[in-house]
Structure formats: C-alpha cells, structure tokens
Amino acid sequence: NIFVACHKPSDVWSDDVYTPIHVGRAISKCKEAMADMIGDDTGEHISEKNPFYSEMTAQYWAWKNVHDAEYIGFCHYRRYFGETITKDNIDSFFADGTDVVLAGPVFRLHNRWNWLKTFVCSEDLAIMQMVVKKLYPDYYATLSRYANDYIDYPLNMLLCRKTLFDQYAEWIFSILFECEKYVKPSSYSRARRLYGYLSEFLLPVFFMHNGFKIKPMSFYRSDSDDTVGGLNYRQRFIRNVLKKIYIRYQSLPQEIDYSVKAGLKADGIDI
C-alpha cells in the first residue's frame, strides 16, 4: 500500500497500490465530498491532530491499523515518487539491498538546520533538541551531521517494508508526543503544522543513524508537472565547498542559546 494523503477533494492516483486517504477526517468539513476515500479516523488514530501533524496522521493510522502489507509507502495528492510503483516492480527497488526509498535529495543553499529555522521558531527547535537528547541521546551526533548538510529528503515521503516502517513510526511518534508535552501551540495556521515540519527533518536521521541503505528517488509535482530530486554536478560541487567552508560549524546544532533557555525556563518548560 502506498497511501496518498489528501486534506481536500482532488484528483489523485488510485489503483491496487496507491490508496488515497483523507487526513484529518475527524474534524474535516469535506467528509461528504471525500466519502469515497478511506479516512484516518478509524481504529486507533490521531486524526483530530491533523492541523498540527499534517500528513503524519496518515502515517500514525497506517502504523496502528495496517497489518497485511509487506511494503508500505506515503506520498501526497500533489506529490508522487518519480517512478510509478506497481505490484510487479516493487521488489526491484529493493533488489540491491536498499532498505528505504526517500524523496530527493534536494539541494539547499542553507544548511538543513537554518532551512528548518525558516519554518519553526527557536523555542520549538530547542524543545525538539532536548527531547531527542533525553529519549535517544545516541542519535544526536547523526542529527547534527544531517542538520549541517545542504541536502534535504523532504515531504515525509518514504517507501519500505512494513516491519521497518513500524520501527521508524515507534521512534518518530515517541519524539513528537514528548515534544507535545512542552510546546506552546501557535495561533498561526502555518506554524501549527510544527510536528509535520519536525518529522520531515527527523525522517532521514532515523535511517542514517541505524545504517539502513537509502535509495533517493526524484518526486513528481502534479501541480506544476515538475520532477524534483537528485544533485547535478554543480550542486554537488557547491555542497562540498559549503561544507568545507563551514567545517568549523559542523558541531551544529550547538548548545541551545542562553536567551532561548532563559525564555523556556520563564515559561516553566524544563526537559
């Protein structure tokens, strides 16, 4: 099963592999218009958290309720993997020892940490740092290496065996749920999608840290007919130059800024 996350009516891929799923159905105003799709509000679910978790409510639902799939994947109503995946070719993507297929990579002129700062406030990033250090301290070096790179595996898109996905889901949701205990929700709709942004950043960290073989795959944007992903020679060269120039900063993300720590303390947040 490859689940296609949809939050509003749209023309989406649907066949014996691609399964559209209505995310946030528990609180959606589009239930009737999207009645032909399965929803993320059955069984064990966090559908009502969709404004904060985005497509991750579909991943939680699949983790808890899908038990008969050998492979499982996730994409979006506007974004799909660059290669169409079928029951006949699925094994070929893993024949070389690949463990997981991720969308990308996408080259950024800002390192991954600074790119994330354009979406997430410093306090929420600090909470995520402290939670990872608290729950999974051995992951922090991998997190730092990825944070200081100039490539991105975006969109919470992945494809792997269900058994491996279950391991990842247990890890990522334990972090996100722990962050929820401390984060003060924003009143802005974009900023409320915090846990979608954090999971997007942390996704490759899990697979990198555990030594799983990642197969990057370009992704297709149906709203613009563009295919994105993969680094050309120029991008690879610039990436290497940037990493060499800023090698002295490769310990980032650094210890949390004093002013941020002081602010969290004043807010009664102690992790």
Side-chain angles (χ1 to χ4, degrees):
N1 283 324
I2 298 179
F3 291 98
V4 185
C6 311
H7 71 278
K8 63 182 181 180
S10 181
D11 293 329
V12 297
W13 292 10
S14 179
D15 57 24
D16 60 345
V17 171
Y18 290 86
T19 303
I21 179 169
H22 182 184
V23 294
R25 173 169 279 181
I27 55 173
S28 176
K29 298 178 181 179
C30 303
K31 291 181 182 179
E32 288 189 17
M34 301 172 70
D36 58 331
M37 294 184 188
I38 64 172
D40 65 353
D41 61 341
T42 61
E44 188 173 349
H45 67 84
I46 55 170
S47 180
E48 69 283 351
K49 293 185 178 183
N50 182 258
F52 311 97
Y53 277 74
S54 298
E55 62 280 342
M56 293 302 289
T57 59
Q59 293 197 19
Y60 185 90
W61 180 88
W63 173 34
K64 294 296 186 178
N65 298 286
V66 176
H67 307 295
D68 58 352
E70 181 180 3
Y71 294 98
I72 195 165
F74 301 91
C75 55
H76 302 257
Y77 71 103
R78 291 183 302 172
R79 299 178 181 91
Y80 302 86
F81 286 111
E83 297 185 48
T84 302
I85 298 159
T86 69
K87 290 183 177 179
D88 293 328
N89 70 11
I90 181 67
D91 287 326
S92 66
F93 295 104
F94 300 90
D96 61 352
T98 290
D99 294 299
V100 61
V101 177
L102 298 181
V106 176
F107 174 71
R108 309 288 187 193
L109 279 174
H110 299 287
N111 69 23
R112 192 68 186 85
W113 192 247
N114 287 327
W115 179 259
L116 185 59
K117 284 182 178 180
T118 64
F119 300 96
V120 179
C121 76
S122 296
E123 284 76 9
D124 292 343
L125 281 179
I127 288 171
M128 183 269 285
Q129 287 178 259
M130 290 188 285
V131 165
V132 171
K133 284 185 174 181
K134 173 185 174 181
L135 298 183
Y136 303 101
D138 56 322
Y139 277 76
Y140 201 74
T142 308
L143 184 154
S144 295
R145 285 195 299 272
Y146 179 59
N148 284 280
D149 207 337
Y150 294 82
I151 60 170
D152 182 11
Y153 294 95
L155 304 173
N156 278 319
M157 290 173 58
L158 73 156
L159 174 67
C160 62
R161 293 187 182 274
K162 178 60 163 59
T163 51
L164 178 55
F165 170 72
D166 287 347
Q167 296 175 42
Y168 164 68
E170 183 174 0
W171 180 81
I172 190 65
F173 285 107
S174 68
I175 294 172
L176 300 180
F177 291 164
E178 186 69 15
C179 287
E180 261 195 273
K181 297 177 182 179
Y182 306 102
V183 166
K184 294 182 177 296
S186 171
S187 58
Y188 291 106
S189 58
R190 184 191 65 82
R192 284 204 303 266
R193 295 160 56 186
L194 169 67
Y195 303 105
Y197 292 131
L198 294 182
S199 56
E200 185 178 18
F201 169 78
L202 290 168
L203 168 63
V205 173
F206 174 82
F207 296 103
M208 291 174 175
H209 178 78
N210 290 291
F212 292 115
K213 183 175 181 179
I214 297 171
K215 181 190 291 290
M217 186 182 292
S218 62
F219 57 94
Y220 170 73
R221 300 179 56 169
S222 61
D223 55 340
S224 62
D225 290 328
D226 289 337
T227 299
V228 182
L231 306 182
N232 58 38
Y233 174 80
R234 178 173 175 271
Q235 291 170 332
R236 288 196 298 270
F237 175 78
I238 295 173
R239 175 194 179 194
N240 290 334
V241 169
L242 288 171
K243 290 177 73 174
K244 288 180 179 179
I245 291 175
Y246 295 107
I247 192 67
R248 59 182 174 153
Y249 301 119
Q250 293 302 296
S251 60
L252 285 174
Q254 298 171 349
E255 287 301 312
I256 300 163
D257 183 86
Y258 172 79
S259 62
V260 176
K261 279 186 175 181
L264 291 174
K265 185 177 181 180
D267 289 330
I269 297 173
D270 182 23
I271 302 175

